[in-house]
Amino acid sequence: MSHDALKTIQSYIVDDATKRLMDLTSEHNRSDDDIDEIISLVHEKAPKLLEGLTESNKKKIGINLFLKCYEHDEIVFKQGDPPDAYYTVIRGAVSIYALNSSTASTDNDDERDDRCKYGKFLMQLPPGASFGELSFNANYKHSSRSAGVVSDGSHGQSKVQLQTSGIVTPDFSGMHETEASNVAVLLLIPEKTYMTELYTRHTSKHQTKDKIAFLKSSFLFHQWSMDQLVKMAYAMKKKNFAKGAIIVHQGDRSDQVWIIKKGKIAVVHKMSKSNGKKTQLSNENSGTDIAIDIAELGTKDMFGLVEIFGNHKKMKREATALCPLEVYVVPTATFTSFLHQEQRTAALLEKVVQKRIKWEILRKDYASKFPKMPFSLPPDAERMSNYSISKESAMSDQELKIRKEKDLILFRNMREARSCYRNAISKVKLCNFKGAAEEMRKAKEFCIVAKTLAEEIGDDYKKEQATELLEEAVDQEHSNLKLHLESIGVSADVLPKNSPRAPVDATTRKGSVALVALRIRELEETPKKKNAKKLDEQKRKTSRARQDDKSGYKIGCADSEYSNNQPKETVNEKPTQEQSHTDNNQRGHSLMRKDRHKTIEILAKKAGLVLE
């Protein structure tokens, strides 16, 4: 640290512990006693920073960390800056801002009007909070800062107690209160030290990036802004349960929402019978308890939604792990605040809750009316109940009807697209290039419609199929154009050298089974078959030539008979068979040249070329 920077830091008025930490970290050569004192002060100011680390890890961090002071409204770093360190607030506070953020807090907006250039306000971090870890990656290819940070100065810590003399009396008579500097004091751990000593622990403990990726994979959260996803990720706490463990009892306090990361849970409603009447149970179980299976929930599903939307203070059902389970737990109050800001997600979950309530009522009525029947779930319960969270369960009956209609249209378009593609391939083999081009055009149109419908209904698998078939049709169309040019004696060099898409081996391409099989059959054509085609073409040419010879001979005979009836001075000599055949061939070749010239002009125009 430079002499000027050291002088600036020492000029700030802060509490004694922070002042001492500044003095110790300003020295490059730190003794073992200095490092121990630094670690002790860091434990006092930020208890969670070094929690769980070994003594050797703590000493390495104590050797390299340093403090910086940021005055009120001073920028700590901007959005898009490369990451240089991991930050912890020692004194004061900082605010986080993000550009192009769709969601912002409305707290203290008047105070932050002058900071609108930094983006939307996300949150304020108090003393002890850390930030800056999201930009670091295990492969050292770090990403730029996803948000900016601005100092809020001392923020409520405007007064400090300082020692009047070197001795502090028990009644604190040796202390006096004074005005503190309006600065935020941050502890910085350099990038190299953070990656070697803290990164692995943070990724295993917080897993912020994994949580964000998990949320994005769900249709409920994939449209959330990044700042909302980050907030949600910080609120999610991971928990593990063994097989058979009870996650929550019926009658427990309803203060959490469970999001299943991996595994399955069984949802059960317990009832008791007394004097022929059914009554809902609490935690205590009696010998006459009956457990009604409600549903089984799997990955990306949620439990505890009925209690949130019904404003129930106690759990109405019990959840048990059916296998080793990993869940994310979010406090009810926090989750509810997110739903108030994300109305789309709230509307989808409300539809899910309505269907869950209907199914639970049905199961309870079944148990009361048929007490001797088994209370286990029927085989097709998942399909009937719509209890699990899915795109279908989050739709109304009208929306489901529209989706089924679009799904049927999508299926028909994909079927027609494949059919047109096969017809085009068949016509190319018969040298019917015009018909093949028309079929390929239809196939592309059907693919585009199918792709649009798949996007509307959110069917990623069908969308991928339509995209693959469309790309295959474009490639095949380019190949057909080359074959057409070669068939009329024009080199394919007149076409653009770059194909519409890089060629891919048909055996490795994804798509329909019929399409792949069709391409494999083309690749497996043996030279014998190709030679057989050539022989067939030669036979057809020979038979046409013979027909031309016969027709030429008949025409010559008719001319000779007609000439015998004319005066002898006008009689012409009878044309030989070879002469008539030559004349017919010359007429045919002249017509072929004209047709070929027109065809070349059309193909060149399509390819965007100008012929000299």
Side-chain angles (χ1 to χ4, degrees):
M1 187 176 294
S2 65
H3 179 73
D4 294 338
L6 177 60
K7 184 178 180 181
T8 304
I9 287 178
Q10 292 177 343
S11 65
Y12 291 123
I13 300 174
V14 292
D15 61 279
D16 290 333
T18 305
K19 188 74 172 177
R20 180 57 180 163
L21 191 57
M22 285 180 178
D23 295 339
L24 291 170
T25 56
S26 62
E27 298 293 337
H28 288 291
N29 298 322
R30 304 171 187 175
S31 64
D32 291 341
D33 293 338
D34 291 341
I35 294 172
D36 291 339
E37 190 175 356
I38 287 172
I39 294 172
S40 177
L41 290 170
V42 170
H43 274 301
E44 179 185 340
K45 291 291 184 180
K48 294 183 178 180
L49 178 61
L50 303 179
E51 186 181 12
L53 294 178
T54 62
E55 291 300 322
S56 60
N57 293 135
K58 292 178 182 178
K59 286 186 176 181
K60 289 178 182 178
I61 293 173
I63 292 171
N64 295 291
L65 65 83
F66 60 96
L67 266 64
K68 288 185 73 173
C69 296
Y70 295 88
E71 296 184 356
H72 190 270
D73 288 335
E74 185 179 352
I75 297 173
V76 179
F77 55 75
K78 294 181 180 179
Q79 183 173 342
D81 287 351
D84 58 345
Y86 178 67
Y87 294 77
T88 301
V89 183
I90 297 297
R91 178 179 174 79
V94 296
S95 292
I96 301 177
Y97 294 84
L99 297 169
N100 299 326
S101 174
S102 62
T103 307
S105 173
T106 57
D107 298 336
N108 301 325
D109 282 344
D110 294 337
E111 298 178 7
R112 299 188 175 90
D113 285 343
D114 56 339
R115 295 187 180 182
C116 59
K117 58 185 177 181
Y118 304 127
K120 298 290 186 180
F121 170 72
L122 303 184
M123 64 178 71
Q124 188 179 68
L125 299 179
S130 300
F131 60 95
E133 75 278 7
L134 291 180
S135 298
F136 295 107
N137 295 310
N139 58 2
Y140 285 83
K141 295 180 180 179
H142 306 314
S143 54
S144 58
R145 298 291 189 187
S146 58
V149 179
V150 182
S151 169
D152 289 333
S154 58
H155 191 70
Q157 295 177 321
S158 57
K159 303 290 184 180
V160 292
Q161 296 286 337
L162 299 179
Q163 294 182 16
T164 305
S165 61
I167 301 174
V168 181
T169 60
D171 58 352
F172 295 96
S173 59
M175 304 291 291
H176 71 279
E177 189 176 70
T178 185
E179 191 75 20
S181 299
N182 190 14
V183 294
V185 183
L186 304 183
L187 184 150
L188 282 72
I189 300 176
E191 177 260 344
K192 290 183 179 179
T193 306
Y194 174 77
M195 292 300 296
T196 55
E197 308 301 332
L198 276 174
Y199 178 78
T200 304
R201 172 180 168 272
H202 280 185
T203 52
S204 61
K205 184 178 179 181
H206 301 295
Q207 298 179 331
T208 306
K209 291 184 179 180
D210 293 342
K211 293 175 185 177
I212 292 173
F214 175 78
L215 291 172
K216 280 186 174 181
S217 65
S218 172
F219 74 97
L220 293 171
F221 309 106
H222 76 277
Q223 290 186 343
W224 283 25
S225 60
M226 180 54 69
D227 50 295
Q228 286 291 85
L229 291 172
V230 171
K231 286 182 181 180
M232 182 72 168
Y234 277 122
M236 295 162 60
K237 305 300 179 185
K238 185 178 177 183
K239 286 188 177 182
N240 295 322
F241 294 91
K243 181 180 178 180
I246 297 177
I247 302 166
V248 62
H249 291 88
Q250 184 173 324
D252 286 352
R253 185 178 176 183
S254 173
D255 57 356
Q256 292 178 330
V257 178
W258 291 265
I259 305 175
I260 302 173
K261 182 186 178 184
K262 185 179 180 182
K264 277 189 174 184
I265 65 172
V267 181
V268 177
H269 181 80
K270 289 187 175 180
M271 300 175 64
S272 64
K273 289 185 178 180
S274 62
N275 299 327
K277 296 181 180 180
K278 59 172 185 175
T279 58
Q280 191 166 314
L281 286 178
S282 61
N283 288 350
E284 300 177 357
N285 300 328
S286 63
T288 58
D289 295 353
I290 48 175
I292 306 170
D293 292 342
I294 300 297
E296 292 181 3
L297 304 180
T299 305
K300 297 182 184 179
D301 219 316
M302 302 172 70
F303 177 70
L305 295 175
V306 177
E307 286 75 12
I308 288 180
F309 284 86
N311 294 322
H312 300 303
K313 294 183 179 180
K314 291 186 177 182
M315 297 299 297
K316 299 296 181 182
R317 57 202 58 75
E318 183 175 285
T320 307
L322 294 175
C323 58
L325 185 69
E326 293 181 18
V327 295
Y328 290 122
V329 180
V330 185
T332 300
T334 305
F335 191 76
T336 304
S337 67
F338 284 117
L339 293 183
H340 289 159
Q341 298 176 34
E342 298 290 343
Q343 295 296 325
R344 174 186 170 275
T345 303
L348 293 174
L349 289 177
E350 189 174 4
K351 295 175 184 177
V352 174
V353 169
Q354 290 173 357
K355 293 183 179 180
R356 288 187 174 186
I357 292 173
K358 288 181 180 179
W359 175 251
E360 289 180 6
I361 291 173
L362 179 65
R363 293 290 293 162
K364 292 173 188 176
D365 289 344
Y366 172 84
S368 62
K369 292 178 180 178
F370 306 99
K372 294 184 179 181
M373 297 294 288
F375 299 132
S376 59
L377 288 170
D380 57 346
E382 186 174 352
R383 180 186 61 81
M384 293 189 301
S385 65
N386 277 328
Y387 200 92
S388 301
I389 292 180
S390 62
K391 292 181 180 179
E392 289 76 15
S393 64
M395 293 181 181
S396 63
D397 294 339
Q398 183 64 24
E399 289 172 337
L400 282 173
K401 183 179 179 182
I402 295 172
R403 178 188 169 86
K404 288 180 180 178
E405 292 175 355
K406 288 185 176 180
D407 201 14
L408 181 59
I409 297 172
L410 171 60
F411 169 77
R412 289 173 178 171
N413 276 274
M414 287 299 297
R415 182 186 63 189
E416 293 297 327
R418 293 189 182 101
S419 177
C420 291
Y421 182 86
R422 296 189 196 99
N423 292 339
I425 297 296
S426 301
K427 290 184 178 182
V428 167
K429 292 180 179 180
L430 299 174
C431 299
N432 183 4
F433 295 104
K434 185 176 180 181
E438 181 64 21
E439 292 292 336
M440 203 62 74
R441 181 188 64 78
K442 291 179 181 178
K444 290 195 296 182
E445 289 179 356
F446 284 123
C447 286
I448 292 170
V449 174
K451 184 179 177 181
T452 304
L453 287 171
E455 290 176 351
E456 289 179 2
I457 65 177
D459 194 332
D460 295 333
Y461 178 71
K462 296 276 182 68
K463 179 183 175 181
E464 184 181 357
Q465 280 190 327
T467 303
E468 288 288 339
L469 186 56
L470 179 61
E471 292 174 351
E472 182 75 22
V474 171
D475 286 348
Q476 190 62 40
E477 190 176 39
H478 194 264
S479 301
N480 294 349
L481 190 58
K482 284 185 178 180
L483 291 173
H484 193 181
L485 288 173
E486 291 172 0
S487 67
I488 59 176
V490 179
S491 174
D493 295 336
V494 299
L495 291 175
K497 292 184 179 180
N498 296 328
S499 62
R501 189 169 62 95
V504 181
D505 185 8
T507 57
T508 61
R509 184 186 301 282
K510 296 178 181 178
S512 65
V513 176
L515 184 61
V516 174
L518 192 63
R519 294 289 288 169
I520 290 173
R521 285 200 298 273
E522 292 178 9
L523 294 173
E524 290 178 347
E525 268 194 347
T526 58
K528 291 182 180 180
K529 291 183 179 180
K530 293 182 179 179
N531 293 333
K533 287 184 178 180
K534 290 181 179 179
L535 291 173
D536 291 340
E537 290 178 2
Q538 290 178 359
K539 288 180 180 179
R540 283 198 295 271
K541 290 180 180 179
T542 305
S543 62
R544 288 175 185 170
R546 288 176 180 174
Q547 290 177 0
D548 292 341
D549 292 343
K550 291 179 180 180
S551 61
Y553 178 75
K554 290 179 180 179
I555 291 170
C557 293
D559 290 342
S560 62
E561 291 178 0
Y562 175 77
S563 61
N564 289 333
N565 297 328
Q566 300 299 324
K568 289 184 179 180
E569 62 269 12
T570 60
V571 174
N572 295 325
E573 294 183 359
K574 176 183 176 182
T576 63
Q577 184 176 352
E578 293 179 357
Q579 287 175 345
S580 63
H581 180 61
T582 302
D583 293 339
N584 288 333
N585 286 340
Q586 288 177 353
R587 287 194 297 271
H589 284 307
S590 63
L591 292 173
M592 285 176 64
R593 281 195 297 271
K594 291 179 181 178
D595 293 340
R596 185 174 65 179
H597 184 69
K598 290 181 180 179
T599 305
I600 293 171
E601 287 181 350
I602 294 170
L603 295 175
K605 187 175 180 181
K606 287 183 178 180
L609 303 173
V610 179
L611 298 179
E612 296 181 356

